[in-house]
C-alpha cells in the first residue's frame, strides 16, 4: 500500500472524456450527450470535468453556454474549460480564443502549451523564448481574471528526452506565472512505467504540484499513471472507459479503483465508487461504443469464472480467485457455464438464478446435460436465459407458457411492402390452439411476427418484446454449407435484457429455437 503524502490532503481526479475522449475515431457527442455524461461523471465523484474547447468549435461553445445557463448543475465536480496559450506574437488579453475561455464562465481553465523544443520550432514556428512568453502571458492574464489555471505540458516526456532543460523551463515558467498544477503529458503514449519516476521526480524538483496525462499507445497508460503518482503526481487525468484517439487514454475508472482499493487512498466516497460499473455502462450507451467485456473492474467479464477448478474454490471462498470484492465497484461475480464446467460451476450458477442445486446428483445430471449440449454446439456461458430454461426442465420447474405444434417459413425473391418471407406458426396456450401467419423481411422477422401474433391475445406483454441483437456462427466450417449453425439472440422488454441460444443444421432452425426460448423465458420471468 502506498501512503498518501502528508503534505497533500487533496488528490485530483480529472476527467477529459468530453474533450480528449471525444477525439476517438467514430465517436461524436452532441451537446445533450455531453451534458448527460457530465452529470454521470459528477455522480461518480470526479473532481474536475473538462468540457471541451470553447471558441474552437461551435459544439463545445454551445455546451459551455448550456452549462452556464443552468442546464448543468454539479455537486462534486468543477467544470473546466480547455484551451491553448495565446497566439505567437500576440497578447493574451486580446486573443479571441483566450477571451472565449473567460466567456465559458468556468472557475477552472486548463491550458495546453508546447514543452518539446522541436514542436515549438516546427509546429508553432517561433523561438523558445516566445513560447515561454506565451505561457507567462496567458497564465498571468487568466489568473488575474480570477481563474484557477492548470497547464498541460504537451509532449513533455518526448521533450524532456530531447532537451530536458527546456522541458523543465516550461514547467517552471508556468509555476512562476501562477499555474496551480502543471500536467506532464505523454501525448504520443510511448512511455513505459520504469521510465516515469526519474522524469516526474525531475519536474517535481521545480516545486509545483504535478499532474499526469497518459495515452495508451504502449498499453501502459494506467501503469504509467500510477508510476507517476508514485513519483509525486497528485493530479491524474483520464477518460471513461479509456476513450481517446488512437489506442485511447488512461481509463480513469481503473486508475481511481486502483488508488482507492490498492493504495488505500480515499479519492472518492465508497458509495460513489460502487456506482463505477453503472456509470461505465451508461457512458458506453451514450457514446454508442460497445462496452469492453474485459475492462478491469467494471467489465462484464471482470469477475467471470469458467474453469471448474476455480468454481470449486469459489464455493469455499469467492476471494480465492478474485483480487477484490466486485461489489466495491458495483460489479458482480458471474459463473460461466460451458463444457469446462464442473458440478461446482452449475451449483453456483444455480444459486445466481435462484435455484437450489445442492443435491449432488441433480447438479451432476445437469452438468452432464450441459457438457453434452455444448458438444452439440450450444454455448451457455453467454446465454443465461437458455441455461435457466434447461435447469427448470431438469428439475421439473419448467412452466411452459405455450407449446408450438408446428412452424414453417417460406422465402422468395419477390419483395413486397411486407417483406420477402412468410411464416406460419401454430401454438397451444392452455386449451386454446391458434395459428397465425406473419410476413417480414427475412425468415426470422417473419417468424417473430407470426409468433407474436399468436401469443398477444393470451400474453399481451409480448408486444413489448424487442430483439436487440442477432449473432450467427457457423460451427465446423470445413463441412461447408451443411455445417452446424449456432445463433444467439438478445431480447429486451424495456427493463431487462436476456440472451438465448439455438443450434441447428441451418440458420433458420437455429434462429427459431433461440427465438422460441426468448419468448418462453420472457413470459416465465415476467
Amino acid at each position: 500500500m502506498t501512503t498518501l503524502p502528508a503534505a497533500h490532503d487533496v488528490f485530483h481526479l480529472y476527467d477529459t472524456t468530453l474533450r480528449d475522449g471525444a477525439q476517438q475515431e467514430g465517436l461524436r457527442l452532441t451537446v445533450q450527450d455531453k451534458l448527460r455524461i457530465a452529470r454521470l461523471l459528477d455522480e461518480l465523484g470526479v473532481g474536475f470535468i473538462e468540457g471541451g474547447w470553447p471558441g474552437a468549435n461551435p459544439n463545445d461553445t454551445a455546451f459551455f453556454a448550456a452549462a452556464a445557463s443552468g442546464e448543468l448543475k454539479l455537486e462534486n465536480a468543477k467544470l473546466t474549460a480547455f484551451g491553448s496559450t495565446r497566439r505567437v506574437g500576440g497578447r493574451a488579453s486580446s486573443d479571441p480564443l483566450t477571451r472565449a475561455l473567460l466567456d465559458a464562465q468556468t472557475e477552472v481553465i486548463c491550458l495546453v502549451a508546447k514543452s518539446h523544443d522541436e514542436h515549438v520550432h516546427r509546429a508553432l514556428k517561433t523561438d523558445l523564448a516566445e513560447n515561454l512568453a506565451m505561457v507567462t502571458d496567458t497564465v498571468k492574464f487568466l489568473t488575474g481574471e480570477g481563474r484557477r489555471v492548470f497547464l498541460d505540458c504537451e509532449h513533455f516526456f518526448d521533450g524532456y528526452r530531447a532537451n530536458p532543460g527546456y522541458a523543465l523551463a516550461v514547467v517552471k515558467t508556468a509555476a512562476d506565472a501562477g499555474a496551480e498544477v502543471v500536467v506532464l503529458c505523454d501525448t504520443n503514449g510511448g512511455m513505459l512505467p520504469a521510465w516515469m519516476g526519474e522524469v516526474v521526480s525531475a519536474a517535481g524538483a521545480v516545486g509545483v504540484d504535478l499532474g499526469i496525462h497518459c495515452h495508451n499507445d504502449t498499453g501502459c497508460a494506467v501503469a504509467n499513471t500510477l508510476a507517476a503518482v508514485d513519483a509525486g503526481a497528485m493530479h491524474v487525468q483520464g477518460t471513461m472507459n479509456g476513450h481517446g484517439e488512437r489506442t485511447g487514454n488512461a481509463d480513469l475508472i481503473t486508475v481511481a479503483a486502483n488508488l482507492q482499493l490498492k493504495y488505500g487512498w480515499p479519492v472518492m466516497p465508497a458509495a460513489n465508487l460502487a456506482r463505477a460499473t453503472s456509470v461505465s455502462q451508461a457512458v458506453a450507451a451514450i457514446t454508442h461504443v460497445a462496452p469492453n467485456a474485459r475492462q478491469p473492474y467494471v467489465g462484464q467479464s471482470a469477475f467471470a469464472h469458467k474453469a471448474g477448478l476455480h468454481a470449486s474454490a469459489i464455493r469455499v471462498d469467492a476471494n480465492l480467485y478474485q483480487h477484490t470484492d466486485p461489489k466495491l465497484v458495483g460489479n458482480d461475480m458471474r459463473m460461466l457455464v460451458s463444457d469446462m464446467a464442473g458440478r461446482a460451476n452449475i451449483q453456483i450458477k444455480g444459486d445466481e438464478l435462484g435455484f437450489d442445486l445442492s443435491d449432488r446428483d441433480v447438479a451432476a445430471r445437469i452438468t452432464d446435460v450441459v457438457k453434452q449440449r455444448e458438444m452439440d454446439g450450444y454455448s451457455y456461458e453467454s446465454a443465461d436465459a437458455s441455461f435457466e430454461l434447461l435447469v427448470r426442465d431438469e428439475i421439473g420447474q419448467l412452466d411452459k407458457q405455450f407449446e408450438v405444434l408446428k412452424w414453417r417459413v417460406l422465402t422468395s425473391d419477390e419483395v413486397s411492402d411486407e417483406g420477402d418471407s412468410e411464416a406460419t406458426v401454430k401454438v397451444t396456450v392452455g386449451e386454446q390452439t391458434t395459428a397465425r401467419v406473419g410476413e417480414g423481411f427475412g425468415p426470422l422477422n417473419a417468424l417473430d411476427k407470426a409468433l407474436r401474433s399468436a401469443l398477444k391475445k393470451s400474453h399481451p406483454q409480448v408486444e413489448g418484446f424487442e430483439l436487440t441483437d442477432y449473432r450467427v456462427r457457423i460451427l465446423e466450417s470445413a463441412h461447408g454449407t451443411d455445417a452446424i449453425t449456432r445463433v444467439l439472440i438478445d431480447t429486451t422488454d424495456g427493463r431487462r435484457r436476456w440472451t438465448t441460444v439455438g443450434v441447428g443444421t441451418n440458420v433458420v432452425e437455429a434462429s427459431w429455437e433461440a427465438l422460441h426460448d426468448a419468448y418462453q423465458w420472457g413470459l416465465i420471468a415476467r
Side-chain angles (χ1 to χ4, degrees):
M1 182 177 291
T2 301
T3 304
L4 186 69
H8 291 82
D9 59 358
V10 175
F11 188 93
H12 291 176
L13 288 178
Y14 183 107
D15 183 274
T16 181
T17 304
L18 304 183
R19 201 272 306 173
D20 217 5
Q23 296 183 49
Q24 178 167 314
E25 182 177 4
L27 196 159
R28 185 182 183 281
L29 300 176
T30 66
V31 171
Q32 289 303 313
D33 290 337
K34 295 180 75 152
L35 289 169
R36 290 168 62 197
I37 292 174
R39 295 183 189 108
L40 289 167
L41 296 172
D42 186 54
E43 175 186 314
L44 181 63
V46 303
F48 302 88
I49 299 171
E50 190 172 81
W53 191 331
N57 66 74
N59 195 57
D60 284 0
T61 303
F63 167 74
F64 282 103
S69 71
E71 289 190 53
L72 182 62
K73 298 184 184 303
L74 301 177
E75 296 183 3
N76 300 303
K78 293 189 180 298
L79 186 62
T80 303
F82 177 88
S84 66
T85 53
R86 55 110 167 132
R87 294 173 180 173
V88 174
R91 294 170 60 90
S93 59
S94 58
D95 187 281
L97 287 179
T98 306
R99 301 298 313 188
L101 291 172
L102 294 177
D103 292 341
Q105 300 181 49
T106 61
E107 176 186 337
V108 185
I109 292 171
C110 186
L111 295 172
V112 62
K114 302 294 185 186
S115 58
H116 189 319
D117 56 0
E118 282 298 300
H119 281 263
V120 174
H121 293 310
R122 300 170 65 182
L124 290 181
K125 302 186 186 308
T126 190
D127 57 54
L128 302 184
E130 171 61 7
N131 181 56
L132 296 180
M134 292 160 63
V135 171
T136 298
D137 185 19
T138 314
V139 173
K140 282 189 172 182
F141 172 71
L142 292 174
T143 56
E145 292 291 325
R147 302 301 198 267
R148 297 171 62 186
V149 175
F150 303 156
L151 186 124
D152 285 356
C153 289
E154 187 184 40
H155 295 285
F156 178 81
F157 292 93
D158 295 326
Y160 183 88
R161 287 182 162 186
N163 186 340
Y166 187 73
L168 293 175
V170 176
V171 175
K172 186 175 189 311
T173 298
D176 290 346
E180 183 177 323
V181 177
V182 177
V183 183
L184 312 180
C185 300
D186 184 20
T187 310
N188 287 341
M191 288 292 286
L192 295 176
W195 304 345
M196 297 293 293
E198 177 186 353
V199 182
V200 175
S201 296
V206 171
V208 64
D209 286 348
L210 295 179
I212 184 69
H213 176 114
C214 293
H215 286 255
N216 201 39
D217 297 74
T218 60
C220 294
V222 170
N224 285 339
T225 299
L226 294 176
V229 169
D230 289 338
M234 294 297 292
H235 166 117
V236 297
Q237 297 191 0
T239 61
M240 290 296 104
N241 303 330
H243 289 323
E245 62 183 338
R246 304 189 311 277
T247 58
N249 290 39
D251 186 332
L252 196 61
I253 288 178
T254 306
V255 171
N258 282 330
L259 291 170
Q260 184 122 337
L261 302 179
K262 306 301 183 181
Y263 281 32
W265 291 7
V267 297
M268 64 175 64
N272 292 49
L273 186 61
R275 298 189 184 104
T277 299
S278 63
V279 170
S280 170
Q281 293 171 348
V283 171
I286 295 169
T287 59
H288 299 290
V289 177
N292 175 9
R294 287 171 293 282
Q295 185 176 349
Y297 289 103
V298 298
Q300 185 182 23
S301 300
F303 299 95
H305 305 276
K306 186 171 181 177
L309 179 64
H310 289 203
S312 297
I314 285 170
R315 280 185 64 80
V316 177
D317 183 351
N319 291 325
L320 290 174
Y321 274 97
Q322 293 182 162
H323 69 96
T324 193
D325 182 352
K327 290 183 173 56
L328 296 175
V329 290
N331 209 339
D332 205 353
M333 184 190 78
R334 294 173 57 239
M335 185 56 60
L336 305 180
V337 174
S338 72
D339 58 349
M340 296 176 64
R343 178 171 44 81
N345 294 66
I346 299 300
Q347 290 174 317
I348 293 174
K349 191 66 180 179
D351 290 343
E352 287 181 18
L353 298 174
F355 299 105
D356 181 6
L357 301 182
S358 57
D359 187 309
R360 295 171 63 91
D361 292 337
V362 172
R365 185 176 74 247
I366 295 174
T367 301
D368 290 341
V369 172
V370 168
K371 288 180 180 289
Q372 181 58 55
R373 288 175 73 83
E374 291 267 346
M375 287 183 62
D376 294 339
Y378 290 85
S379 176
Y380 290 106
E381 66 180 69
S382 53
D384 279 1
S386 287
F387 175 71
E388 181 177 335
L389 293 176
L390 182 153
V391 171
R392 286 180 176 275
D393 193 28
E394 289 296 323
I395 63 176
Q397 293 184 20
L398 180 57
D399 181 18
K400 292 185 178 181
Q401 300 297 294
F402 61 91
E403 292 275 1
V404 176
L405 303 180
K406 66 177 182 179
W407 63 273
R408 181 180 65 181
V409 63
L410 302 172
T411 298
S412 73
D413 59 356
E414 296 181 6
V415 182
S416 69
D417 291 342
E418 300 298 323
D420 58 6
S421 300
E422 179 181 284
T424 302
V425 174
K426 188 175 184 179
V427 302
T428 296
V429 180
E431 297 181 357
Q432 184 73 34
T433 298
T434 304
R436 290 288 186 270
V437 175
E439 294 181 280
F441 292 93
L444 181 60
N445 185 224
L447 285 165
D448 181 37
K449 288 184 176 180
L451 182 58
R452 188 184 303 259
S453 178
L455 294 174
K456 67 181 181 181
K457 183 177 181 180
S458 56
H459 299 293
Q461 58 267 45
V462 299
E463 292 283 39
F465 290 3
E466 181 182 357
L467 185 151
T468 59
D469 202 0
Y470 174 70
R471 305 181 294 285
V472 179
R473 182 176 178 185
I474 304 300
L475 307 178
E476 300 178 359
S477 56
H479 289 190
T481 55
D482 67 344
I484 298 296
T485 303
R486 177 196 298 148
V487 167
L488 289 166
I489 286 178
D490 290 350
T491 308
T492 183
D493 60 1
R495 294 186 299 110
R496 297 164 301 180
R497 181 185 176 114
W498 61 94
T499 304
T500 49
V501 61
V503 172
T505 55
N506 63 71
V507 68
V508 178
E509 180 186 3
S511 300
W512 167 253
E513 182 181 15
L515 180 71
H516 168 276
D517 281 5
Y519 273 80
Q520 198 73 257
W521 188 92
L523 292 173
I524 289 173
R526 70 186 184 276

